[in-house]
């Protein structure tokens, strides 16, 4: 199965950014890059940490932002971790990992498609 991405709008005060988040069903929490936090002008944070897939614990800063899913008319205030890892500061592609907390709070539905031998797509659960 391929990767799953979701278009969202993130807002902090009067700063607003349209981003494409990587949906990671193995992540407990939503994480944003330090680069995105700078663009949102996030100043109010508290120290935190999170465990990444290889078992390392990395330092983060925690804050709350508004996450808007326009196509689903969802607006949620979500606690997020801010870190440079696992984001690559030299690559301007990914700034947000949407974790299980986002999926639960937003009640988002993931619809998977399977392609049959003729190339037709069928939704699967």
């Amino acid at each position: 199965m391929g990767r799953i991405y979701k278009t969202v709008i993130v807002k902090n005060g009067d700063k607003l950014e349209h981003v494409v988040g990587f949906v990671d069903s193995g992540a407990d929490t939503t994480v944003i890059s330090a680069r995105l936090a700078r663009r949102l002008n996030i100043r109010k944070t508290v120290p935190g940490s999170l465990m990444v897939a290889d078992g390392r614990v990395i330092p983060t800063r925690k804050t709350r932002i508004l996450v808007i899913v326009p196509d689903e008319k969802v607006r949620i205030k979500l606690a997020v971790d801010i870190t440079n890892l696992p984001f690559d500061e030299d690559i301007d592609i990914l700034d947000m990992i949407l974790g299980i907390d986002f999926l639960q709070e937003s009640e988002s539905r993931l619809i998977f498609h399977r392609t049959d031998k003729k190339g037709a797509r069928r939704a699967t659960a």
Side-chain angles (χ1 to χ4, degrees), residues 48-75:
S49 64
L50 63 89
M51 184 181 296
V52 293
D54 67 5
R56 289 180 297 142
V57 175
I58 61 171
T60 66
R61 297 183 330 240
K62 293 184 178 292
T63 194
R64 294 182 71 78
I65 60 174
L66 181 64
V67 180
I68 303 165
V69 186
D71 58 337
E72 297 176 19
K73 296 182 175 74
V74 170
R75 296 172 63 91

PDB file of all heavy atoms in Angstrom, residues 48-75:
ATOM      1  N   GLY A  48       8.901  18.946  25.697  1.00  0.00           N
ATOM      2  CA  GLY A  48       8.317  17.623  25.643  1.00  0.00           C
ATOM      3  C   GLY A  48       9.280  16.648  24.990  1.00  0.00           C
ATOM      4  O   GLY A  48      10.437  16.986  24.723  1.00  0.00           O
ATOM      5  N   SER A  49       8.806  15.453  24.738  1.00  0.00           N
ATOM      6  CA  SER A  49       9.607  14.448  24.045  1.00  0.00           C
ATOM      7  C   SER A  49       8.665  13.429  23.431  1.00  0.00           C
ATOM      8  O   SER A  49       7.511  13.324  23.818  1.00  0.00           O
ATOM      9  CB  SER A  49      10.575  13.760  25.009  1.00  0.00           C
ATOM     10  OG  SER A  49       9.859  13.052  25.998  1.00  0.00           O
ATOM     11  N   LEU A  50       9.184  12.705  22.446  1.00  0.00           N
ATOM     12  CA  LEU A  50       8.406  11.618  21.872  1.00  0.00           C
ATOM     13  C   LEU A  50       9.338  10.522  21.401  1.00  0.00           C
ATOM     14  O   LEU A  50      10.507  10.754  21.108  1.00  0.00           O
ATOM     15  CB  LEU A  50       7.480  12.096  20.754  1.00  0.00           C
ATOM     16  CG  LEU A  50       8.057  12.693  19.495  1.00  0.00           C
ATOM     17  CD1 LEU A  50       8.329  11.617  18.460  1.00  0.00           C
ATOM     18  CD2 LEU A  50       7.058  13.671  18.911  1.00  0.00           C
ATOM     19  N   MET A  51       8.796   9.302  21.372  1.00  0.00           N
ATOM     20  CA  MET A  51       9.572   8.152  20.932  1.00  0.00           C
ATOM     21  C   MET A  51       9.312   7.940  19.441  1.00  0.00           C
ATOM     22  O   MET A  51       8.163   7.903  19.011  1.00  0.00           O
ATOM     23  CB  MET A  51       9.202   6.890  21.700  1.00  0.00           C
ATOM     24  CG  MET A  51      10.065   5.693  21.316  1.00  0.00           C
ATOM     25  SD  MET A  51       9.633   4.178  22.198  1.00  0.00           S
ATOM     26  CE  MET A  51      10.017   4.634  23.866  1.00  0.00           C
ATOM     27  N   VAL A  52      10.385   7.818  18.666  1.00  0.00           N
ATOM     28  CA  VAL A  52      10.245   7.577  17.231  1.00  0.00           C
ATOM     29  C   VAL A  52      10.307   6.081  16.964  1.00  0.00           C
ATOM     30  O   VAL A  52      10.580   5.279  17.862  1.00  0.00           O
ATOM     31  CB  VAL A  52      11.316   8.355  16.421  1.00  0.00           C
ATOM     32  CG1 VAL A  52      11.082   9.854  16.528  1.00  0.00           C
ATOM     33  CG2 VAL A  52      12.721   8.015  16.863  1.00  0.00           C
ATOM     34  N   ALA A  53      10.065   5.700  15.717  1.00  0.00           N
ATOM     35  CA  ALA A  53       9.899   4.289  15.352  1.00  0.00           C
ATOM     36  C   ALA A  53      11.081   3.408  15.744  1.00  0.00           C
ATOM     37  O   ALA A  53      10.893   2.246  16.096  1.00  0.00           O
ATOM     38  CB  ALA A  53       9.638   4.170  13.858  1.00  0.00           C
ATOM     39  N   ASP A  54      12.300   3.958  15.713  1.00  0.00           N
ATOM     40  CA  ASP A  54      13.463   3.124  16.044  1.00  0.00           C
ATOM     41  C   ASP A  54      13.733   3.041  17.545  1.00  0.00           C
ATOM     42  O   ASP A  54      14.730   2.483  17.978  1.00  0.00           O
ATOM     43  CB  ASP A  54      14.709   3.610  15.295  1.00  0.00           C
ATOM     44  CG  ASP A  54      15.187   4.989  15.742  1.00  0.00           C
ATOM     45  OD1 ASP A  54      14.630   5.557  16.699  1.00  0.00           O
ATOM     46  OD2 ASP A  54      16.124   5.510  15.100  1.00  0.00           O
ATOM     47  N   GLY A  55      12.828   3.614  18.357  1.00  0.00           N
ATOM     48  CA  GLY A  55      12.951   3.513  19.809  1.00  0.00           C
ATOM     49  C   GLY A  55      13.660   4.681  20.471  1.00  0.00           C
ATOM     50  O   GLY A  55      13.662   4.786  21.694  1.00  0.00           O
ATOM     51  N   ARG A  56      14.250   5.572  19.681  1.00  0.00           N
ATOM     52  CA  ARG A  56      14.897   6.751  20.267  1.00  0.00           C
ATOM     53  C   ARG A  56      13.857   7.718  20.811  1.00  0.00           C
ATOM     54  O   ARG A  56      12.768   7.831  20.271  1.00  0.00           O
ATOM     55  CB  ARG A  56      15.728   7.510  19.222  1.00  0.00           C
ATOM     56  CG  ARG A  56      16.983   6.820  18.793  1.00  0.00           C
ATOM     57  CD  ARG A  56      17.729   7.641  17.754  1.00  0.00           C
ATOM     58  NE  ARG A  56      16.888   7.774  16.567  1.00  0.00           N
ATOM     59  CZ  ARG A  56      16.796   8.875  15.826  1.00  0.00           C
ATOM     60  NH1 ARG A  56      17.479   9.949  16.132  1.00  0.00           N
ATOM     61  NH2 ARG A  56      16.012   8.923  14.762  1.00  0.00           N
ATOM     62  N   VAL A  57      14.215   8.397  21.880  1.00  0.00           N
ATOM     63  CA  VAL A  57      13.370   9.455  22.418  1.00  0.00           C
ATOM     64  C   VAL A  57      13.998  10.776  22.000  1.00  0.00           C
ATOM     65  O   VAL A  57      15.182  11.016  22.252  1.00  0.00           O
ATOM     66  CB  VAL A  57      13.257   9.361  23.957  1.00  0.00           C
ATOM     67  CG1 VAL A  57      12.477  10.535  24.514  1.00  0.00           C
ATOM     68  CG2 VAL A  57      12.618   8.035  24.353  1.00  0.00           C
ATOM     69  N   ILE A  58      13.206  11.613  21.319  1.00  0.00           N
ATOM     70  CA  ILE A  58      13.742  12.885  20.832  1.00  0.00           C
ATOM     71  C   ILE A  58      13.056  14.038  21.548  1.00  0.00           C
ATOM     72  O   ILE A  58      11.886  13.952  21.912  1.00  0.00           O
ATOM     73  CB  ILE A  58      13.596  13.024  19.304  1.00  0.00           C
ATOM     74  CG1 ILE A  58      12.121  12.972  18.879  1.00  0.00           C
ATOM     75  CG2 ILE A  58      14.393  11.966  18.576  1.00  0.00           C
ATOM     76  CD1 ILE A  58      11.886  13.310  17.421  1.00  0.00           C
ATOM     77  N   PRO A  59      13.803  15.127  21.767  1.00  0.00           N
ATOM     78  CA  PRO A  59      13.205  16.295  22.424  1.00  0.00           C
ATOM     79  C   PRO A  59      12.266  17.026  21.464  1.00  0.00           C
ATOM     80  O   PRO A  59      12.514  17.083  20.262  1.00  0.00           O
ATOM     81  CB  PRO A  59      14.409  17.161  22.782  1.00  0.00           C
ATOM     82  CG  PRO A  59      15.462  16.776  21.802  1.00  0.00           C
ATOM     83  CD  PRO A  59      15.220  15.332  21.467  1.00  0.00           C
ATOM     84  N   THR A  60      11.184  17.547  22.003  1.00  0.00           N
ATOM     85  CA  THR A  60      10.240  18.337  21.217  1.00  0.00           C
ATOM     86  C   THR A  60       9.822  19.551  22.028  1.00  0.00           C
ATOM     87  O   THR A  60      10.178  19.686  23.199  1.00  0.00           O
ATOM     88  CB  THR A  60       8.967  17.526  20.877  1.00  0.00           C
ATOM     89  OG1 THR A  60       8.253  17.257  22.084  1.00  0.00           O
ATOM     90  CG2 THR A  60       9.291  16.238  20.147  1.00  0.00           C
ATOM     91  N   ARG A  61       9.073  20.405  21.383  1.00  0.00           N
ATOM     92  CA  ARG A  61       8.326  21.455  22.073  1.00  0.00           C
ATOM     93  C   ARG A  61       6.872  21.169  21.766  1.00  0.00           C
ATOM     94  O   ARG A  61       6.535  20.719  20.680  1.00  0.00           O
ATOM     95  CB  ARG A  61       8.740  22.831  21.557  1.00  0.00           C
ATOM     96  CG  ARG A  61      10.198  23.138  21.823  1.00  0.00           C
ATOM     97  CD  ARG A  61      10.583  24.536  21.380  1.00  0.00           C
ATOM     98  NE  ARG A  61       9.810  25.015  20.239  1.00  0.00           N
ATOM     99  CZ  ARG A  61      10.321  25.377  19.075  1.00  0.00           C
ATOM    100  NH1 ARG A  61      11.603  25.311  18.869  1.00  0.00           N
ATOM    101  NH2 ARG A  61       9.550  25.811  18.107  1.00  0.00           N
ATOM    102  N   LYS A  62       5.997  21.411  22.712  1.00  0.00           N
ATOM    103  CA  LYS A  62       4.578  21.128  22.529  1.00  0.00           C
ATOM    104  C   LYS A  62       3.789  22.433  22.503  1.00  0.00           C
ATOM    105  O   LYS A  62       4.125  23.384  23.204  1.00  0.00           O
ATOM    106  CB  LYS A  62       4.052  20.235  23.652  1.00  0.00           C
ATOM    107  CG  LYS A  62       4.645  18.839  23.634  1.00  0.00           C
ATOM    108  CD  LYS A  62       4.017  17.986  24.716  1.00  0.00           C
ATOM    109  CE  LYS A  62       4.547  16.584  24.699  1.00  0.00           C
ATOM    110  NZ  LYS A  62       4.160  15.804  23.550  1.00  0.00           N
ATOM    111  N   THR A  63       2.742  22.433  21.685  1.00  0.00           N
ATOM    112  CA  THR A  63       1.846  23.582  21.610  1.00  0.00           C
ATOM    113  C   THR A  63       0.494  23.108  21.098  1.00  0.00           C
ATOM    114  O   THR A  63       0.322  21.922  20.824  1.00  0.00           O
ATOM    115  CB  THR A  63       2.416  24.690  20.691  1.00  0.00           C
ATOM    116  OG1 THR A  63       1.697  25.901  20.899  1.00  0.00           O
ATOM    117  CG2 THR A  63       2.372  24.285  19.233  1.00  0.00           C
ATOM    118  N   ARG A  64      -0.443  24.025  20.975  1.00  0.00           N
ATOM    119  CA  ARG A  64      -1.756  23.714  20.410  1.00  0.00           C
ATOM    120  C   ARG A  64      -1.973  24.611  19.201  1.00  0.00           C
ATOM    121  O   ARG A  64      -1.659  25.797  19.252  1.00  0.00           O
ATOM    122  CB  ARG A  64      -2.865  23.927  21.436  1.00  0.00           C
ATOM    123  CG  ARG A  64      -2.773  22.948  22.603  1.00  0.00           C
ATOM    124  CD  ARG A  64      -3.897  23.130  23.593  1.00  0.00           C
ATOM    125  NE  ARG A  64      -5.190  22.687  23.105  1.00  0.00           N
ATOM    126  CZ  ARG A  64      -5.595  21.416  23.042  1.00  0.00           C
ATOM    127  NH1 ARG A  64      -4.781  20.452  23.404  1.00  0.00           N
ATOM    128  NH2 ARG A  64      -6.790  21.108  22.610  1.00  0.00           N
ATOM    129  N   ILE A  65      -2.512  24.020  18.127  1.00  0.00           N
ATOM    130  CA  ILE A  65      -2.834  24.776  16.926  1.00  0.00           C
ATOM    131  C   ILE A  65      -4.223  24.369  16.452  1.00  0.00           C
ATOM    132  O   ILE A  65      -4.733  23.315  16.825  1.00  0.00           O
ATOM    133  CB  ILE A  65      -1.798  24.556  15.793  1.00  0.00           C
ATOM    134  CG1 ILE A  65      -1.720  23.078  15.398  1.00  0.00           C
ATOM    135  CG2 ILE A  65      -0.450  25.119  16.164  1.00  0.00           C
ATOM    136  CD1 ILE A  65      -0.843  22.797  14.192  1.00  0.00           C
ATOM    137  N   LEU A  66      -4.802  25.206  15.631  1.00  0.00           N
ATOM    138  CA  LEU A  66      -6.076  24.883  15.016  1.00  0.00           C
ATOM    139  C   LEU A  66      -5.802  24.146  13.714  1.00  0.00           C
ATOM    140  O   LEU A  66      -5.016  24.611  12.890  1.00  0.00           O
ATOM    141  CB  LEU A  66      -6.882  26.151  14.741  1.00  0.00           C
ATOM    142  CG  LEU A  66      -8.263  25.948  14.117  1.00  0.00           C
ATOM    143  CD1 LEU A  66      -9.187  25.177  15.054  1.00  0.00           C
ATOM    144  CD2 LEU A  66      -8.872  27.296  13.751  1.00  0.00           C
ATOM    145  N   VAL A  67      -6.426  22.989  13.544  1.00  0.00           N
ATOM    146  CA  VAL A  67      -6.287  22.206  12.316  1.00  0.00           C
ATOM    147  C   VAL A  67      -7.656  22.172  11.647  1.00  0.00           C
ATOM    148  O   VAL A  67      -8.648  21.797  12.269  1.00  0.00           O
ATOM    149  CB  VAL A  67      -5.786  20.772  12.594  1.00  0.00           C
ATOM    150  CG1 VAL A  67      -5.661  19.988  11.304  1.00  0.00           C
ATOM    151  CG2 VAL A  67      -4.455  20.804  13.335  1.00  0.00           C
ATOM    152  N   ILE A  68      -7.679  22.581  10.386  1.00  0.00           N
ATOM    153  CA  ILE A  68      -8.924  22.655   9.623  1.00  0.00           C
ATOM    154  C   ILE A  68      -8.824  21.690   8.450  1.00  0.00           C
ATOM    155  O   ILE A  68      -7.828  21.697   7.721  1.00  0.00           O
ATOM    156  CB  ILE A  68      -9.161  24.089   9.113  1.00  0.00           C
ATOM    157  CG1 ILE A  68      -9.178  25.081  10.286  1.00  0.00           C
ATOM    158  CG2 ILE A  68     -10.453  24.166   8.293  1.00  0.00           C
ATOM    159  CD1 ILE A  68      -9.034  26.534   9.885  1.00  0.00           C
ATOM    160  N   VAL A  69      -9.843  20.854   8.310  1.00  0.00           N
ATOM    161  CA  VAL A  69      -9.927  19.953   7.154  1.00  0.00           C
ATOM    162  C   VAL A  69     -11.078  20.485   6.304  1.00  0.00           C
ATOM    163  O   VAL A  69     -12.240  20.193   6.581  1.00  0.00           O
ATOM    164  CB  VAL A  69     -10.180  18.487   7.575  1.00  0.00           C
ATOM    165  CG1 VAL A  69     -10.111  17.565   6.360  1.00  0.00           C
ATOM    166  CG2 VAL A  69      -9.185  18.052   8.638  1.00  0.00           C
ATOM    167  N   PRO A  70     -10.756  21.297   5.279  1.00  0.00           N
ATOM    168  CA  PRO A  70     -11.820  21.990   4.550  1.00  0.00           C
ATOM    169  C   PRO A  70     -12.830  21.071   3.873  1.00  0.00           C
ATOM    170  O   PRO A  70     -14.032  21.333   3.929  1.00  0.00           O
ATOM    171  CB  PRO A  70     -11.074  22.810   3.498  1.00  0.00           C
ATOM    172  CG  PRO A  70      -9.632  22.666   3.773  1.00  0.00           C
ATOM    173  CD  PRO A  70      -9.446  21.595   4.777  1.00  0.00           C
ATOM    174  N   ASP A  71     -12.371  19.987   3.261  1.00  0.00           N
ATOM    175  CA  ASP A  71     -13.300  19.123   2.530  1.00  0.00           C
ATOM    176  C   ASP A  71     -14.218  18.323   3.447  1.00  0.00           C
ATOM    177  O   ASP A  71     -15.202  17.755   3.000  1.00  0.00           O
ATOM    178  CB  ASP A  71     -12.556  18.196   1.561  1.00  0.00           C
ATOM    179  CG  ASP A  71     -11.537  17.305   2.249  1.00  0.00           C
ATOM    180  OD1 ASP A  71     -11.069  17.658   3.341  1.00  0.00           O
ATOM    181  OD2 ASP A  71     -11.202  16.251   1.684  1.00  0.00           O
ATOM    182  N   GLU A  72     -13.909  18.281   4.751  1.00  0.00           N
ATOM    183  CA  GLU A  72     -14.752  17.560   5.706  1.00  0.00           C
ATOM    184  C   GLU A  72     -15.410  18.505   6.714  1.00  0.00           C
ATOM    185  O   GLU A  72     -16.052  18.055   7.652  1.00  0.00           O
ATOM    186  CB  GLU A  72     -13.921  16.497   6.442  1.00  0.00           C
ATOM    187  CG  GLU A  72     -13.384  15.434   5.516  1.00  0.00           C
ATOM    188  CD  GLU A  72     -12.479  14.433   6.227  1.00  0.00           C
ATOM    189  OE1 GLU A  72     -12.544  14.343   7.472  1.00  0.00           O
ATOM    190  OE2 GLU A  72     -11.713  13.761   5.531  1.00  0.00           O
ATOM    191  N   LYS A  73     -15.188  19.805   6.542  1.00  0.00           N
ATOM    192  CA  LYS A  73     -15.745  20.822   7.441  1.00  0.00           C
ATOM    193  C   LYS A  73     -15.397  20.537   8.898  1.00  0.00           C
ATOM    194  O   LYS A  73     -16.233  20.635   9.793  1.00  0.00           O
ATOM    195  CB  LYS A  73     -17.249  20.938   7.244  1.00  0.00           C
ATOM    196  CG  LYS A  73     -17.629  21.427   5.861  1.00  0.00           C
ATOM    197  CD  LYS A  73     -19.118  21.564   5.720  1.00  0.00           C
ATOM    198  CE  LYS A  73     -19.506  22.164   4.404  1.00  0.00           C
ATOM    199  NZ  LYS A  73     -19.397  21.362   3.247  1.00  0.00           N
ATOM    200  N   VAL A  74     -14.139  20.189   9.140  1.00  0.00           N
ATOM    201  CA  VAL A  74     -13.659  19.859  10.480  1.00  0.00           C
ATOM    202  C   VAL A  74     -12.714  20.955  10.959  1.00  0.00           C
ATOM    203  O   VAL A  74     -11.850  21.417  10.210  1.00  0.00           O
ATOM    204  CB  VAL A  74     -12.910  18.498  10.466  1.00  0.00           C
ATOM    205  CG1 VAL A  74     -12.200  18.254  11.778  1.00  0.00           C
ATOM    206  CG2 VAL A  74     -13.871  17.368  10.163  1.00  0.00           C
ATOM    207  N   ARG A  75     -12.902  21.391  12.211  1.00  0.00           N
ATOM    208  CA  ARG A  75     -12.011  22.360  12.862  1.00  0.00           C
ATOM    209  C   ARG A  75     -11.724  21.828  14.261  1.00  0.00           C
ATOM    210  O   ARG A  75     -12.647  21.704  15.059  1.00  0.00           O
ATOM    211  CB  ARG A  75     -12.674  23.731  12.966  1.00  0.00           C
ATOM    212  CG  ARG A  75     -12.980  24.386  11.645  1.00  0.00           C
ATOM    213  CD  ARG A  75     -13.804  25.651  11.840  1.00  0.00           C
ATOM    214  NE  ARG A  75     -13.128  26.686  12.584  1.00  0.00           N
ATOM    215  CZ  ARG A  75     -12.381  27.650  12.052  1.00  0.00           C
ATOM    216  NH1 ARG A  75     -12.232  27.704  10.747  1.00  0.00           N
ATOM    217  NH2 ARG A  75     -11.794  28.556  12.797  1.00  0.00           N
TER     218      ARG A  75
END
